[in-house]
Amino acid sequence: MMHPDLMKCFDLTGRSALVTGSARGIGLEIARTLRMAGASLMLTDLDLDATRKAAADVGPDVGALRCDVSDPQSVRDLAAAIGACPDILINNAGVGREGQTRDTSDDDWRFVISVNLDGVFYCCRTFGAAMAERGSGNIVNIGSMCGFIVTKPWGGPAYHASKAGVHMLTKTFACKWAKSGVRVNAVAPGYIATNMTSNPNPTRVELTPVGRLGRTEEIANVVQFLASDASSYMTGAVLSVDGGYTSW
Ligand code: NDP
């Protein structure tokens, strides 16, 4: 049995958490895990009905609001609707676009960058600045191994650039707010079994040393660690959780 002091540093009882893009996939699993660790939760996503359904699935007292992270006004409206700034912010919302080629259209480029990179910036700007003013807070961004390397199958220029940008935003805000009691870290997943990887492609598994896709809870567990006091000396870190993909 785990020592009570060790368990305590993973405990999130009494803390509030906001997870973007949490109606399904990795975001929904993160919400479930933070809830199990004791946090009170607000789920946000594009589709309000789906978000409400997901919230009800996570627990009876879990909140649900609509937020399009790529729209700065939507992020400001979310902050106004919540009132108090959450203790924990998980910037999870993200998109890929299949079939991006060297002919990536302006729309493809803007779509991916606006959700994956602008969205993280808008949420950090709004909630992180409020956390820094308050003197406490914890942000975990969902980056990607695509922010470190060019993967096979190819992720496309916008996805790779956006995730590398998320990693650098993580470090930038970590340094900026370190003395204000706000920690900012990121997780860089490999291929995880969600809608994003639903298009079957054996290359993903072949090139992953552990020989399988990751499960959503294998990302959520690491996010929970970063969101808790167990990682109190960590800020500006980008943790690879990729079944060894980037180790080849
Ligand atoms: P999913 O597509 O399953 O879930 C993403 C969620 O984000 C969806 O509910 C989606 O809503 C929502 N979303 C999309 N655009 C916006 C927006 N503008 N504002 C708010 N929410 C939005 O993806 P995953 O769970 O797989 O991905 C979660 C994160 O993990 C992403 O940042 C992704 O890049 C990252 N990641 C995933 C990997 C994987 O292999 N699955 C690997 C590496 C990183 P809707 O359905 O309405 O579009």
Side-chain angles (χ1 to χ4, degrees), residues 20-27 44-47 67-70 92-95 115-116 142-145 159 163 189-197:
T20 69
S22 47
R24 67 174 195 214
I26 294 171
T44 71
D45 209 307
L46 287 178
D47 179 339
C67 178
D68 177 351
V69 298
S70 69
N92 165 79
V95 290
V115 179
N116 294 7
I142 306 301
S144 171
M145 65 176 176
Y159 193 79
K163 292 299 185 177
Y191 290 119
I192 308 300
T194 68
N195 265 33
M196 208 176 260
T197 51

Side-chain angles (χ1 to χ4, degrees), residues 173-231:
F173 287 126
C175 291
K176 176 82 179 150
W177 293 327
K179 290 205 168 68
S180 306
V182 181
R183 294 194 292 120
V184 189
N185 292 290
V187 174
Y191 290 119
I192 308 300
T194 68
N195 265 33
M196 208 176 260
T197 51
S198 57
N199 170 17
N201 188 325
T203 314
R204 292 193 185 105
V205 170
E206 280 162 23
L207 293 183
T208 300
V210 302
R212 62 171 175 85
L213 299 188
R215 296 186 292 270
T216 52
E217 62 267 29
E218 292 175 311
I219 301 302
N221 292 344
V222 179
V223 170
Q224 196 276 328
F225 163 69
L226 290 173
S228 74
D229 294 343
S231 59

Side-chain angles (χ1 to χ4, degrees), residues 95-114 116-117 146-151 153-166:
V95 290
R97 198 154 253 199
E98 288 284 328
Q100 281 190 80
T101 67
R102 62 183 177 175
D103 304 318
T104 297
S105 70
D106 293 355
D107 282 352
D108 283 343
W109 174 262
R110 273 311 320 150
F111 175 68
V112 174
I113 295 289
S114 72
N116 294 7
L117 183 57
C146 291
F148 293 130
I149 57 162
V150 178
T151 53
W154 192 49
Y159 193 79
H160 283 288
S162 68
K163 292 299 185 177
V166 168

